[in-house]
Amino acid sequence: MSSKRIVTITIIGILFIAALIGFMYLRSFFAQDSTVISLPSPSNTPERNDEVEILPLDKVEISQSTIQDVVSQTIERPDTYSRVVRVEKFWEYGQTVYFINIDVTNGMSSLTIHPPIKTPSDSSEGVEKRIISANGLLYIWNLGDNSAFIGTIDPDECEHKTIDEWHMLMSYECLLSHYGDSIIDAGYFEYGGENCVFIEYRTSQLGNLGRLYISIEQGLIVGALEYDETDTLIYSMTAGDCLIGDTNPAAFILPDGTSLLADN
């Protein structure tokens, strides 16, 4: 074999090895983020300013395994606050919208649920309902009634579960303490102008995909989404401005005129 042919074969071999190494490097590079789960954008989603952008990760890294410690050490709900949340439930031919006033103080919570609005008819149904959680008791009545239903709250329930479940929301404390195995993703996001921690999870019974956005500054959920098994949006919650340290005293008055604030 001539020396010229040997040189040619050697060069071809070197080029082949270089190309193989380059291909393996590119494959590794593009596959490194393959486990990140991104929520779909269904066509029936109403226009909302809920675009999210990843913040620079100059804070402690958040992952599925560290999210519980990060939240417990850096996020805390305020003792007293008031705000309004908008809850949307989507169905095949439209949606139902709820506006809920929330007041919290001295370990008590009061929710005033306005009559739901159904679209496309834009009609409201029902009357305002008030739900108060105080001192281990639950008071529920329609505004205008002379008395309230009174029930007890299970002392073993997750903290803040009662206030969140009445606007069809998973309490993030309950999610972390009781359903940690259902968490599939977590990290930092900017949502609605708030620096947030997000938690993505899969419900155990229906297999729906849920996502919570928890404001680092407020310590409250400022946005939530839920998709069914077909990746169709079925629930959305967005929160308005939060007035920390302020609440409405009238929200804690029972139908008989008793103020629960007087006992605290």
Side-chain angles (χ1 to χ4, degrees):
M1 181 181 296
S2 67
S3 58
K4 183 177 181 180
R5 186 173 182 183
I6 293 174
V7 172
T8 300
I9 294 174
T10 302
I11 293 174
I12 293 174
I14 292 173
L15 290 175
F16 174 79
I17 294 172
L20 180 60
I21 293 173
F23 172 77
M24 294 177 64
Y25 172 81
L26 288 174
R27 183 180 179 185
S28 174
F29 177 81
F30 285 110
Q32 63 185 356
D33 290 328
S34 60
T35 59
V36 174
I37 299 174
S38 58
L39 291 176
S41 300
S43 58
N44 64 339
T45 304
E47 292 185 2
R48 297 189 305 275
N49 294 324
D50 59 0
E51 295 297 327
V52 294
E53 297 179 359
I54 298 178
L55 294 177
L57 289 179
D58 54 357
K59 308 177 182 68
V60 60
E61 288 286 346
I62 293 182
S63 66
Q64 179 184 6
S65 60
T66 64
I67 181 62
Q68 186 166 2
D69 290 338
V70 170
V71 170
S72 64
Q73 295 173 15
T74 62
I75 295 179
E76 183 178 3
R77 294 200 187 209
D79 294 328
T80 298
Y81 68 90
S82 61
R83 65 175 183 166
V84 178
V85 301
R86 174 189 174 103
V87 172
E88 299 170 83
K89 298 190 72 176
F90 302 95
W91 33 285
E92 186 176 0
Y93 300 107
Q95 67 189 93
T96 303
V97 181
Y98 302 83
F99 288 95
I100 305 173
N101 291 74
I102 301 173
D103 293 271
V104 175
T105 188
N106 296 331
M108 302 184 300
S109 64
S110 173
L111 284 76
T112 303
I113 304 176
H114 299 276
I117 301 172
K118 291 189 175 181
T119 57
S121 63
D122 288 328
S123 61
S124 61
E125 298 182 358
V127 296
E128 286 186 329
K129 182 186 298 292
R130 181 158 291 164
I131 303 168
I132 296 179
S133 170
N135 306 316
L137 296 176
L138 193 66
Y139 304 85
I140 304 175
W141 73 96
N142 293 328
L143 293 187
D145 289 352
N146 296 321
S147 62
F149 163 81
I150 303 177
T152 58
I153 300 174
D154 186 346
D156 295 329
E157 282 189 352
C158 304
E159 185 180 10
H160 306 295
K161 176 184 177 183
T162 302
I163 184 175
D164 287 342
E165 68 181 351
W166 284 105
H167 51 291
M168 298 155 276
L169 184 67
M170 169 74 79
S171 161
Y172 69 81
E173 294 92 344
C174 188
L175 174 62
L176 292 172
S177 62
H178 286 64
Y179 305 101
D181 292 342
S182 66
I183 296 174
I184 55 179
D185 198 7
Y188 290 108
F189 267 76
E190 182 179 330
Y191 184 95
E194 292 279 342
N195 290 337
C196 296
V197 167
F198 80 85
I199 305 176
E200 193 168 80
Y201 62 96
R202 181 99 39 198
T203 61
S204 57
Q205 293 182 338
L206 300 176
N208 293 345
L209 184 67
R211 196 164 193 173
L212 304 178
Y213 297 92
I214 310 165
S215 168
I216 296 174
E217 181 178 357
Q218 294 181 18
L220 300 170
I221 297 173
V222 293
L225 300 169
E226 185 173 339
Y227 296 82
D228 67 13
E229 68 279 2
T230 65
D231 291 336
T232 300
L233 182 67
I234 59 174
Y235 170 91
S236 171
M237 188 281 279
T238 52
D241 293 337
C242 181
L243 301 178
I244 295 178
D246 188 22
T247 193
N248 178 16
F252 296 94
I253 297 178
L254 298 177
D256 63 3
T258 302
S259 173
L260 296 174
L261 294 176
D263 299 329
N264 288 270

